[in-house]
Amino acid sequence: MKNKILLLMTAALSVSLTASAEGDGLAGIARKVGTFLDSMSVSGVDRRYIDAPKKPWQLLLKGNINQSDLKISSTIHHAEDIFMFMKGDMTWEPRVKTAPATYAGLWAGYRGYGLGYSWNIGGDNGRILSLGATGGRYGVNMRIHWFDNDKPEVRLTGNGLSDITEEGDLVFSPFSFSDYFELGSPIKTRALFIDGFYLFNGTKCSYAAAYDQSVVQKRSAGSLMAGAMYFHSTTAYDKDINADLILFLNDIGRIKSWQASVGLGYIYNWVPTRGMLISGMAIPMLTFYNHHKMWRYDSTLKDLIYTEGLDDYDEIDVKDYRIRPSEENPVEGVNSNMKLNFDARLSFTYEWNDNIFFNAYGQYSNFRYKTDEISGRLDDWYVNASIGIRL
């Protein structure tokens, strides 16, 4: 894969210099790079199984349904130090599960190298930017998803005050409580996904045929495949009005995560009849790099609780909430242990003729992290449907 990328860069530079010397200008450069990409798309493949359409450009009208499920779990030790009605450890778990969000957008590419952008038309107030590059044996994709939520579902567990004896002793009992927590300012999340694949049987099985239709799979074939994935997310709710949420989450108001994973899986392209392709792939991923950074905040709310022992937050006007960077350990970076993640996709393609095609595919990804005080996981799935034309 690295050799092909290096070859592509070298060839692009070569044709650029040649075109400039001949006075062809940008048009000449474009023609020669296009010719190179045309040859690359079927380089080394078995043409009985894989072939390239005559027209190289693809223009797609896309529809997308997406859902993200973000869960953060924080354990407060010795909760009685903060909350008079609690004792021992208290676990606070906000969950941002977006409603299935609908997007519409466009994607344009040349021989599998393209760019797309989708706008939210209902659901999570999000946006999606995607880029793709596929060759005979490899595929590289990038997707950025922004979304926010101002009413997370929160689950609270711990030991709460349940009774007072005649002698005045306090009795605490285990309890669990779930409800929606309305925020003055939403929890905002940005997630970046980059994944790459290499097919060991790229001469007969094509990733591009299933996911961007830059080539055509003519016969059924499968391949063992290697995969790598990079994931980066930022979750932020560090606003004054969210001082109570920050307090419940161990004073953490912003979290950033970086993860890198590698895995080995399998893809199979099934061609039941001419013009139809059903493809499935699954890759278990081992996350070998799992780093997180957390920003902590103190607040006027926390000050009042510690100095006056307040147990009724209704006594405090939220307009008076103010947060500030924590005096102790305001920014902390930690590494988590290796985790097992998972990447799976299923695709359906139907081509009416050489110029018009339909494609639908779905993907599911799972990311997890854990430190001594806080843990989290993000489940992300989406289903994409598109109608495309070759030009």
Side-chain angles (χ1 to χ4, degrees), residues 288-352:
F288 62 90
Y289 179 72
N290 203 357
H291 182 72
H292 317 284
K293 185 177 288 187
M294 298 171 289
W295 282 257
R296 299 180 186 273
Y297 297 87
D298 293 328
S299 66
T300 52
L301 174 62
K302 183 178 179 180
D303 297 339
L304 288 169
I305 290 174
Y306 274 102
T307 57
E308 301 183 20
L310 294 176
D311 61 348
D312 185 357
Y313 299 117
D314 291 337
E315 297 179 14
I316 308 172
D317 192 334
V318 296
K319 294 180 181 179
D320 296 329
Y321 286 176
R322 296 290 183 274
I323 64 171
R324 61 185 184 277
S326 177
E327 294 182 3
E328 295 184 12
N329 201 18
V331 182
E332 179 182 7
V334 295
N335 291 312
S336 293
N337 296 329
M338 288 192 294
K339 297 289 182 182
L340 185 65
N341 292 330
F342 195 77
D343 192 8
R345 296 187 183 191
L346 182 66
S347 169
F348 171 82
T349 303
Y350 183 78
E351 304 205 13
W352 281 279

Side-chain angles (χ1 to χ4, degrees), residues 66-70 96-101 124 143 145 147 189 191 193 377-381:
N66 178 287
Q67 185 174 39
S68 296
D69 186 359
L70 172 67
V96 178
K97 186 175 183 180
T98 66
D124 63 7
R143 185 167 63 96
H145 184 203
F147 64 94
T189 300
F193 309 86
R377 61 120 175 92
L378 174 65
D379 295 325
D380 183 88
W381 66 262

Side-chain angles (χ1 to χ4, degrees), residues 14 22 63-64 133 170 179 220 223 239-240 254 263 274 287 299 327 355:
S14 175
E22 296 175 355
N64 181 292
L170 303 181
D179 200 358
S220 300
S223 175
K239 302 296 183 181
D240 289 331
R254 179 183 292 261
R274 182 177 178 179
T287 301
S299 66
E327 294 182 3
N355 300 329

Side-chain angles (χ1 to χ4, degrees), residues 107-247:
W107 190 93
Y110 185 96
R111 294 296 188 201
Y113 298 82
L115 173 68
Y117 190 80
S118 297
W119 300 266
N120 177 258
I121 57 177
D124 63 7
N125 299 320
R127 294 160 290 151
I128 297 175
L129 173 67
S130 60
L131 295 103
T134 56
R137 293 177 177 269
Y138 63 87
V140 179
N141 304 283
M142 184 187 81
R143 185 167 63 96
I144 306 175
H145 184 203
W146 296 265
F147 64 94
D148 59 65
N149 186 284
D150 59 2
K151 199 174 182 180
E153 182 182 1
V154 173
R155 183 168 181 261
L156 179 65
T157 58
N159 294 299
L161 180 64
S162 60
D163 197 7
I164 301 178
T165 66
E166 294 181 357
E167 292 78 17
D169 296 327
L170 303 181
V171 179
F172 294 86
S173 302
F175 79 98
S176 179
F177 173 77
S178 296
D179 200 358
Y180 287 94
F181 192 86
E182 194 160 350
L183 300 175
S185 180
I187 297 175
K188 294 186 176 182
T189 300
R190 183 192 66 190
L192 166 67
F193 309 86
I194 302 176
D195 53 21
F197 310 100
Y198 181 82
L199 277 63
F200 294 98
N201 186 25
T203 57
K204 295 181 178 180
C205 183
S206 171
Y207 175 90
Y211 294 99
D212 68 17
Q213 292 71 58
S214 58
V215 298
V216 177
Q217 184 83 41
K218 299 166 66 176
R219 295 185 180 183
S220 300
S223 175
L224 188 69
M225 62 190 307
M229 180 180 293
Y230 173 79
F231 169 72
H232 172 58
S233 70
T234 299
T235 300
Y237 43 90
D238 48 349
K239 302 296 183 181
D240 289 331
I241 201 169
N242 290 336
D244 46 0
L245 177 63
I246 293 172
L247 177 64

Side-chain angles (χ1 to χ4, degrees), residues 75-122:
T75 299
I76 299 177
H77 303 292
H78 307 293
E80 62 272 14
D81 294 341
I82 304 176
F83 309 101
M84 298 175 62
F85 50 85
M86 301 290 294
K87 186 176 182 179
D89 293 346
M90 182 184 79
T91 301
W92 177 261
E93 295 180 338
R95 183 179 184 182
V96 178
K97 186 175 183 180
T98 66
T102 306
Y103 291 78
L106 295 171
W107 190 93
Y110 185 96
R111 294 296 188 201
Y113 298 82
L115 173 68
Y117 190 80
S118 297
W119 300 266
N120 177 258
I121 57 177

Side-chain angles (χ1 to χ4, degrees), residues 248-299:
F248 293 157
L249 288 174
N250 271 307
D251 301 330
I252 297 171
R254 179 183 292 261
I255 306 168
K256 288 189 177 183
S257 298
W258 295 264
Q259 295 186 358
S261 310
V262 294
L264 194 66
Y266 193 81
I267 181 172
Y268 188 77
N269 286 350
W270 179 40
V271 183
T273 185
R274 182 177 178 179
M276 182 181 295
L277 171 62
I278 300 174
S279 176
M281 58 167 277
I283 303 184
M285 293 275 189
L286 180 65
T287 301
F288 62 90
Y289 179 72
N290 203 357
H291 182 72
H292 317 284
K293 185 177 288 187
M294 298 171 289
W295 282 257
R296 299 180 186 273
Y297 297 87
D298 293 328
S299 66

